[in-house]
Amino acid sequence: NAGVTQTPKFQVLKTGQSMTLQCAQDMNHEYMSWYRQDPGMGLRLIHYSVGAGITDQGEVPNGYNVSRSTTEDFPLRLLSAAPSQTSVYFCASSPGRDNSPLHFGNGTRLTVT
Amino acid sequence: AQKVTQAQTEISVVEKEDVTLDCVYETRDTTYYLFWYKQPPSGELVFLIRRNSFDEQNEISGRYSWNFQKSTSSFNFTITASQVVDSAVYFCALRGYNDMRFGAGTRLTVKP
């Protein structure tokens, strides 16, 4: 099983560029979410989705857009990259919003210069 | 809003010592779920344990045990007889109705 697949693994952007981080899961999970991990700050929720066609903001949504047109895919778009968005990004999914744990991808390390 | 606090930033122990990682949470949801995750140096996030808000029974699973106390909003995690391979960052997480929030993490170093 592939689980949660994130691409790319590494990315370097210049300030002002835009890009999309891809996330796909093959477990038919309804719930998907994006986190960013910065030193000393743990994992902070950017956006989440409880099902296809439904998305909502997390703790730190500014500068990011998401869409959920299918159950499998949940891309994260950086509209105009800023150095403050340098981080490690994790996508995660779970069957529902209950006690099922999140399954995480392996992360994308993004550097904005 | 939900909040998870892990007051211990870093802990260092010698192998075979027991170590407890503290977690305090805040939520207005009446039903919620608590989790512990491990992030080894390789960077992946690994699910360890979970507890439902309506089940305060504490459990032991191998070298892991956890103490959930609703009255103090705490969900502490203990590793018994620590090993070098336990060295990692440990995250406590709280899932409410909509989303899952994480604490800042505790970096555990187990020295041989």
Side-chain angles (χ1 to χ4, degrees):
Chain A
N1 286 341
V4 179
T5 303
Q6 289 185 237
T7 55
K9 294 188 179 188
F10 301 94
Q11 183 70 49
V12 179
L13 290 178
K14 294 187 188 305
T15 297
Q17 287 184 318
S18 62
M19 79 157 295
T20 299
L21 306 184
Q22 301 292 343
C23 176
Q25 52 92 7
D26 61 357
M27 298 171 283
N28 201 32
H29 285 174
E30 288 296 321
Y31 185 92
M32 296 187 74
S33 53
W34 276 101
Y35 291 86
R36 59 177 289 173
Q37 182 176 16
D38 303 292
M41 304 191 75
L43 293 150
R44 292 184 293 167
L45 180 65
I46 304 172
H47 285 285
Y48 65 95
S49 169
V50 299
I54 306 169
T55 64
D56 208 342
Q57 297 181 351
E59 301 169 82
V60 289
N62 292 340
Y64 306 96
N65 271 357
V66 292
S67 60
R68 184 93 181 271
S69 55
T70 67
T71 298
E72 293 78 21
D73 300 301
F74 191 44
L76 178 72
R77 296 183 186 85
L78 281 70
L79 308 173
S80 177
S84 60
Q85 293 178 304
T86 293
S87 187
V88 179
Y89 291 84
F90 286 97
C91 179
S93 72
S94 66
R97 291 179 279 174
D98 52 11
N99 67 344
S100 49
L102 288 175
H103 298 253
F104 282 89
N106 288 330
T108 295
R109 184 174 294 274
L110 175 68
T111 302
V112 183
T113 60
Chain B
Q2 299 178 133
K3 185 178 178 181
V4 178
T5 302
Q6 294 179 253
Q8 304 152 308
T9 305
E10 295 191 30
I11 299 176
S12 181
V13 299
V14 177
E15 203 169 21
K16 297 184 183 177
E17 285 186 25
D18 298 347
V19 56
T20 295
L21 308 180
D22 297 334
C23 174
V24 175
Y25 63 91
E26 297 174 28
T27 182
R28 292 182 181 177
D29 291 332
T30 54
T31 298
Y32 52 90
Y33 310 95
L34 296 159
F35 301 81
W36 277 96
Y37 284 82
K38 173 182 179 181
Q39 186 177 43
S42 52
E44 73 271 24
L45 286 149
V46 179
F47 161 69
L48 295 175
I49 58 172
R50 68 183 147 197
R51 177 57 62 197
N52 302 334
S53 59
F54 43 85
D55 181 2
E56 290 194 66
Q57 181 179 355
N58 296 312
E59 291 189 20
I60 298 174
S61 176
R63 294 188 300 109
Y64 297 159
S65 63
W66 48 100
N67 186 339
F68 173 40
Q69 292 194 344
K70 209 168 181 177
S71 60
T72 57
S73 298
S74 64
F75 184 51
N76 298 336
F77 174 61
T78 297
I79 302 173
T80 302
S82 59
Q83 301 174 2
V84 173
V85 293
D86 295 327
S87 296
V89 180
Y90 289 83
F91 292 101
C92 180
L94 165 67
R95 176 168 234 168
Y97 180 70
N98 275 326
D99 59 28
M100 185 181 288
R101 301 291 175 102
F102 286 77
T106 297
R107 180 177 299 278
L108 173 65
T109 302
V110 182
K111 299 178 181 177

